[in-house]
Amino acid sequence: MIQIIKRPILTLALSLLAAANLSAQPGFGKAEKINADWRFHLGETDLKKTIEARDKSWRTVQLPHDWTVKQTYDPSLASATGFLPGGIGWYQKNVSIPKEDEGKKLYLYFEGVYNRSEVFVNGQSVGKRPNGYISFSYDITPHIKYGAENQIAVRVDHSQDADSRWYTGSGIYRDVYLVKANPLHLEQWGVYAYPEVKGNKGVLHVQTALTNESSSGAPLSVVTELLDKDGSVLAKKTNKVTLGQNSRQEIKTELSVNNPRLWSLETPHLYRLRTSVIQNNQLIDSTTVVTGFRTFKFDPNKGFALNSKQMKVKGVCIHHDSGVLGAEVYPEVWRRRLLTLKSLGVNAVRTSHNPQATSLYELCDELGLLVMNEAFDEWEFPKRKWLEGWNVGTPGYQGSFDFFKEWGERDLADMVKRDRNHLSIFAWSIGNEVDYPNDPYSHPVLDGSREGGFTQPIFGGYKEDAPDAMRLGDIAKRLAAVVRKYDQSRPVTAGLAGVAMSNETAYPSALDIAGYNYTESRYIEDHKRYPKRVIYGSENRHDFGAWKAVVDNEHIFGQFLWTGIDYLGESGRWPSRGFYSGLLDFAGFIKPRGYFRQSLWADKPVAYIGTYPLMGGAAASDAWSVLESEQRPQRNQAPSMDAWPVWNYQSGQMIRVMGYSNAAKARLELNGKVVGQMKDYDQKTGIYYWDIPYEAGKLELVGMDAKGKETVRHQLQSSKRSHAIKALQGEQLQVKAVDGVAQIELQLVDEDGIPVAMADDEITCEIAGNARLLGMEAGNNADMGDYTDNKQRAFHGKMMVYLQSKGKTGEEVMVRFSGPWLKPAILKIKLL
């Protein structure tokens, strides 16, 4: 294991392990997912009524389940969480435990419940967990009735519905497992592996934790095997141990492989580590985790290297919601989202500001995306939050601070232990903007001038009665120690908001790498003042200058844009469902700024055309766009990164045509004629643009290399009115029979089949067969209507529809999409 130390070159020559067990998240025993047919009641009730759960106020739901996203938007509610309510909810499910299971240990494993949950089994409380993002389990063996029905009840208290600055959701929004295990078994998350690469040899260091919950000791064998993708065994070790009664033991071993295939962003090769516990020649427990080999290094002068190759981290911050689906986690949805982000050149994500579902890390392992895994947005004190609308009334202080002292270090430890096997994770973040000036901490340096490096409000200078910022260093040291106790192979980091203030404390020195939020102005100055500090942009605006600060400074290893995907909550003035600065919208469709980012980050030739009327420019639709626009000398004359692909205007109207391309040169053609002279790539804005009078037809951007040879071309076509609904998947789609999620992309087209980018027709979804409608999402931030029915308006001519199958293999589901005066689309879904 490599110790992380501060010196001119910070090296992590470790390729860490990969994922927790794909089929059984707890990593021990036999885990069965129990998501089907729970009973749900919104509102408080007593436990006796929960046990009965037969009145009409209870309804059957499937997990994952988020009750908040299914409620009504209300402008009087908190903009922080998207103008949607929280509340208290109860869940109840009966589980039959066979008589033959007597003698086994039984556990309930919850991947995530938001929040302040309490779990009951047959009327008895088995535990509470306030943090809504942490996975947890309970031993329910003492409360089980064998050979009978057993009732599970879960109380979820999200009555503090504005306890976050973003949308959290409410309820059991991730998977739940019933785990059956031998009294002698692997610990939860008990297999930990981290790779090391030495020349052409890979060494996988494995730590295995066992627990014996029986009253007698037992000799046993622990077999550890490394398998390639095809199942062939590459290395194997057997350890014989004797585990005493009511005790635990850790076993360390190493597996060696010659010339291992390295995990990289381009070729994310993965291996499997299989651990088997054998007693009296009988297999009593086993688990398989995904792992692999890679190296990385952080250098305060050279930046970041993966597998000895210097690179820039092109990252985005993401939240855990999925638009109309709320906080409910469906891996298929996130696979599509991550693949779309990767197509834009994104190579890393930051889990702002909480651990996500296990499936997200599994996908990043598989797809080749780096992950910065983050734990907290608040520590011991809350941040200001608007509790009634946006900028209305007095800010409130709901939050997670009240249980941080008791639970914070345990929550962090559980995050690291659950996720440390994921190869994609390359850093642990212990906090985001907990050092925001005067929210809550203060320091005398706040009385200084703006030349101190602040890019955010200081709230009136130093406040003597506010919490002392010097406390930040002590807390950061404690949290960093927790991380290093369970994983010394990755660096500890945090997103600093008030860097100038934090520099006066021990906070930055407690970190291995320091994230700067929106503070590009300090990149050069702080590199000189703190030459051993590794610096990167942990949260950044989308403007070209913020990226140039990375490209032009070798010591800055990358940035994380705010954000990768639009997310619910942290809304602006009503109507606004959420924060709208993403490269993708709520539906996962690429927005114009996504194509602009692709022109900066993609390796292949790319081109995109967007337009807007010259007078007034492109309307800014979110706070970040406004901020970026206001930084320009002449806002309405500056090229925009938010130009939509529209070519329908009044004849002769002056239109600004934007070209987002990485081509060295570009020109503009309209109906085969050059209307925009050839231009060289603009090193100041990264955007091509021409002002031309509108004429209907085909508008084309032609990108060329430095010698004038065409390399890429993109076109827009004037359209007529919307005429038909087109399902871009065609007329047939295949999904898994049980709980498979179909993502159906709809496009409105005119009578010639040309996309109608301005269409907002209402679309109705009708289903025949064993499937249920999860939601219809068009990506419109200002649409505060009903998202619980089967009708929704398109936005920019598009819509994404989510269906979940509930049938048997071989069955078919018919789906019809219709709208007034539109030719319908009919889709057949075959269940596999």
Side-chain angles (χ1 to χ4, degrees):
M1 190 172 295
I2 291 182
Q3 184 177 6
I4 302 174
I5 58 176
K6 292 289 179 62
R7 51 188 177 187
I9 298 180
L10 173 61
T11 301
L12 299 177
L14 271 181
S15 325
L16 274 140
L17 136 358
N21 196 329
L22 294 176
S23 60
Q25 309 296 344
F28 75 101
K30 183 179 180 180
E32 173 192 0
K33 195 179 291 185
I34 54 170
N35 286 353
D37 300 329
W38 287 70
R39 299 277 292 168
F40 173 70
H41 170 80
L42 181 58
E44 186 61 284
T45 187
D46 60 42
L47 190 56
K48 182 179 179 181
K49 288 185 178 179
T50 303
I51 292 173
E52 295 172 355
R54 290 294 178 265
D55 63 78
K56 292 183 180 180
S57 67
W58 291 77
R59 57 189 179 86
T60 301
V61 300
Q62 314 299 315
L63 304 185
H65 179 254
D66 171 9
W67 81 67
T68 284
V69 79
K70 299 167 179 60
Q71 306 306 306
T72 301
Y73 289 97
D74 185 336
S76 69
L77 297 175
S79 62
T81 52
F83 301 103
L84 285 168
I88 294 175
W90 281 86
Y91 294 84
Q92 179 264 324
K93 180 178 177 62
N94 291 336
V95 178
S96 179
I97 306 297
K99 188 73 174 176
E100 52 266 31
D101 283 341
E102 196 162 3
K104 293 182 180 178
K105 299 288 291 185
L106 276 73
Y107 303 84
L108 284 175
Y109 180 87
F110 293 84
E111 202 179 341
V113 183
Y114 204 91
N115 63 345
R116 302 177 190 265
S117 63
E118 183 171 11
V119 178
F120 303 84
V121 174
N122 293 325
Q124 300 298 310
S125 176
V126 296
K128 298 180 180 181
R129 195 65 181 244
N131 192 314
Y133 297 113
I134 298 297
S135 300
F136 58 91
S137 68
Y138 299 121
D139 180 354
I140 61 172
T141 311
H143 309 286
I144 291 298
K145 300 173 184 176
Y146 294 92
E149 289 281 307
N150 293 264
Q151 190 202 72
I152 303 166
V154 182
R155 181 181 185 270
V156 184
D157 183 356
H158 192 202
S159 53
Q160 294 187 45
D161 49 12
D163 59 354
S164 172
R165 295 186 296 151
W166 59 87
Y167 179 86
T168 62
S170 305
I172 309 177
Y173 67 103
R174 296 179 188 165
D175 294 332
V176 179
Y177 294 86
L178 175 66
V179 184
K180 300 177 182 180
N182 190 287
L184 196 161
H185 58 84
L186 294 162
E187 280 191 357
Q188 177 175 290
W189 312 317
V191 175
Y192 167 44
Y194 58 96
E196 183 178 7
V197 179
K198 299 178 180 178
N200 62 355
K201 184 178 181 181
V203 178
L204 190 67
H205 303 270
V206 184
Q207 297 177 13
T208 305
L210 298 163
T211 185
N212 184 0
E213 298 183 77
S214 71
S215 57
S216 61
L220 37 96
S221 299
V222 179
V223 181
T224 307
E225 301 168 283
L226 185 65
L227 287 70
D228 208 343
K229 280 189 173 181
D230 61 4
S232 57
V233 178
L234 304 178
K236 180 179 179 178
K237 287 282 183 70
T238 300
N239 289 279
K240 296 185 180 297
V241 298
T242 298
L243 195 59
Q245 62 181 6
N246 297 314
S247 64
R248 68 179 299 274
Q249 186 171 338
E250 286 191 2
I251 302 166
K252 294 184 179 181
T253 190
E254 294 181 355
L255 300 175
S256 298
V257 179
N258 292 324
N259 301 309
R261 294 183 61 185
L262 301 184
W263 182 92
S264 68
L265 304 179
E266 300 76 23
T267 55
H269 189 81
L270 298 170
Y271 296 84
R272 292 182 183 271
L273 178 69
R274 183 168 63 199
T275 302
S276 304
V277 182
I278 299 172
Q279 184 183 23
N280 298 326
N281 294 321
Q282 297 292 318
L283 180 67
I284 62 171
D285 203 0
S286 67
T287 191
T288 300
V289 298
V290 176
T291 188
F293 296 90
R294 60 146 168 72
T295 67
F296 54 79
K297 180 170 70 174
F298 295 88
D299 185 317
N301 297 309
K302 298 292 185 180
F304 174 73
L306 178 64
N307 299 328
S308 301
K309 180 181 178 181
Q310 295 296 135
M311 59 171 283
K312 294 293 188 180
V313 169
K314 303 170 182 176
V316 293
C317 302
I318 59 173
H319 281 258
H320 67 291
D321 73 89
S322 300
V324 69
L325 302 177
E328 296 175 6
V329 178
Y330 301 99
E332 299 95 328
V333 174
W334 278 100
R335 174 183 289 277
R336 172 177 164 267
R337 288 173 153 218
L338 292 174
L339 282 171
T340 304
L341 286 173
K342 193 165 185 181
S343 75
L344 301 181
V346 173
N347 61 26
V349 297
R350 173 187 176 215
T351 66
S352 47
H353 305 289
N354 50 266
Q356 300 235 15
T358 296
S359 57
L360 181 109
Y361 306 101
E362 293 170 351
L363 286 167
C364 291
D365 293 339
E366 175 194 342
L367 302 177
L369 284 165
L370 295 168
V371 178
M372 180 170 291
N373 205 15
E374 192 157 80
F376 305 116
D377 187 56
E378 294 178 346
W379 288 350
E380 58 177 348
F381 296 106
K383 295 175 179 176
R384 295 177 178 87
K385 303 173 187 73
W386 298 109
L387 305 184
E388 300 174 3
W390 184 73
N391 284 0
V392 175
T394 303
Y397 293 94
Q398 296 180 13
S400 58
F401 65 97
D402 59 321
F403 56 80
F404 177 79
K405 182 177 180 180
E406 179 182 358
W407 287 95
E409 293 184 25
R410 179 176 173 183
D411 288 342
L412 180 60
D414 284 351
M415 180 188 87
V416 174
K417 286 189 289 184
R418 190 198 70 167
D419 297 340
R420 60 188 175 179
N421 286 332
H422 290 285
L423 202 65
S424 53
I425 296 173
F426 79 129
W428 304 107
S429 175
I430 58 174
N432 169 67
E433 295 187 347
V434 294
D435 63 334
Y436 197 102
N438 283 333
D439 192 17
Y441 296 96
S442 196
H443 188 278
V445 74
L446 297 182
D447 280 335
S449 68
R450 291 191 64 83
E451 284 70 34
F454 293 102
T455 60
Q456 297 166 310
I458 303 175
F459 296 118
Y462 175 51
K463 296 184 178 180
E464 294 185 6
D465 58 344
D468 185 356
M470 299 303 287
R471 298 173 59 88
L472 293 167
D474 294 334
I475 299 172
K477 288 175 183 176
R478 293 204 310 269
L479 296 177
V482 171
V483 173
R484 292 168 186 144
K485 178 179 178 180
Y486 297 104
D487 180 26
Q488 296 184 32
S489 63
R490 299 173 176 88
V492 177
T493 187
L496 305 179
V499 180
M501 181 177 77
S502 288
N503 281 342
E504 304 298 317
T505 76
Y507 187 10
S509 63
L511 308 173
D512 299 305
I513 59 177
Y516 282 33
N517 285 15
Y518 312 106
T519 325
E520 293 88 354
S521 60
R522 298 194 66 90
Y523 283 174
I524 296 175
E525 176 186 349
D526 278 17
H527 181 51
K528 293 177 181 178
R529 291 179 61 190
Y530 310 101
K532 296 182 180 181
R533 182 180 294 180
V534 178
I535 301 173
Y536 68 98
S538 44
E539 198 167 307
N540 306 87
R541 290 183 295 271
H542 293 245
D543 60 273
F544 190 59
W547 175 238
K548 289 282 286 181
V550 177
V551 174
D552 295 343
N553 290 290
E554 186 179 18
H555 69 284
I556 303 298
F557 74 72
Q559 68 171 192
F560 288 86
L561 296 177
W562 193 265
T563 64
I565 310 173
D566 292 344
Y567 61 93
L568 300 175
E570 205 164 357
S571 304
R573 193 182 305 279
W574 177 280
S576 171
R577 295 162 64 199
F579 209 94
Y580 200 64
S581 69
L583 302 180
L584 313 182
D585 65 16
F586 297 119
F589 294 134
I590 302 173
K591 294 164 61 180
R593 61 175 52 200
Y595 290 109
F596 172 64
R597 187 56 44 172
Q598 184 182 46
S599 74
L600 301 180
W601 284 359
D603 295 326
K604 64 180 181 181
V606 296
Y608 166 90
I609 302 176
T611 69
Y612 54 84
L614 183 60
M615 191 164 207
S621 55
D622 63 273
W624 260 216
S625 295
V626 172
L627 182 58
E628 289 155 359
S629 299
E630 289 176 348
Q631 292 177 338
R632 302 177 185 130
Q634 296 179 341
R635 175 181 175 186
N636 292 336
Q637 295 301 311
S640 168
M641 69 179 84
D642 295 313
W644 290 91
V646 175
W647 194 237
N648 285 84
Y649 296 98
Q650 296 294 322
S651 181
Q653 185 178 4
M654 288 301 295
I655 306 300
R656 174 156 289 181
V657 179
M658 316 298 301
Y660 308 149
S661 177
N662 52 8
K665 300 174 181 291
R667 70 169 182 265
L668 192 65
E669 297 179 359
L670 178 58
N671 297 324
K673 298 179 181 180
V674 176
V675 293
Q677 65 182 19
M678 184 183 296
K679 292 185 177 183
D680 292 329
Y681 185 82
D682 191 334
Q683 297 293 338
K684 293 184 178 179
T685 66
I687 297 175
Y688 292 101
Y689 69 97
W690 298 266
D691 299 333
I692 65 171
Y694 173 73
E695 178 185 333
K698 182 170 67 175
L699 185 68
E700 294 181 281
L701 177 71
V702 183
M704 293 157 282
D705 62 19
K707 297 181 179 180
K709 180 180 178 181
E710 181 177 332
T711 58
V712 66
R713 182 181 289 253
H714 181 252
Q715 73 174 46
L716 281 184
Q717 180 72 47
S718 301
S719 69
K720 302 173 185 177
R721 293 184 180 275
S722 51
H723 171 76
I725 303 170
K726 183 178 180 180
L728 298 188
Q729 286 76 5
E731 296 180 354
Q732 185 162 323
L733 185 64
Q734 297 180 336
V735 300
K736 293 187 301 182
V738 180
D739 295 337
V741 175
Q743 301 175 79
I744 304 169
E745 183 177 345
L746 303 180
Q747 173 72 64
L748 294 173
V749 297
D750 68 9
E751 61 188 43
D752 300 317
I754 297 171
V756 184
M758 301 177 70
D760 65 350
D761 301 71
E762 183 178 81
I763 297 175
T764 298
C765 174
E766 298 169 288
I767 302 171
N770 286 323
R772 67 181 181 120
L773 178 63
L774 294 178
M776 304 172 72
E777 177 60 77
N780 187 355
N781 187 41
D783 186 349
M784 312 300 286
D786 185 358
Y787 285 83
T788 65
D789 58 14
N790 66 334
K791 301 177 186 291
Q792 192 59 250
R793 285 194 172 275
F795 186 57
H796 292 294
K798 291 184 176 182
M799 181 179 294
M800 179 62 65
V801 180
Y802 304 104
L803 275 72
Q804 187 177 44
S805 59
K806 289 294 178 184
K808 298 178 181 179
T809 300
E811 290 184 351
E812 292 182 343
V813 175
M814 301 299 295
V815 187
R816 184 176 186 268
F817 300 102
S818 61
W821 305 290
L822 295 175
K823 181 180 178 181
I826 298 175
L827 184 69
K828 180 189 295 183
I829 301 177
K830 187 173 183 178
L831 306 187
L832 301 179

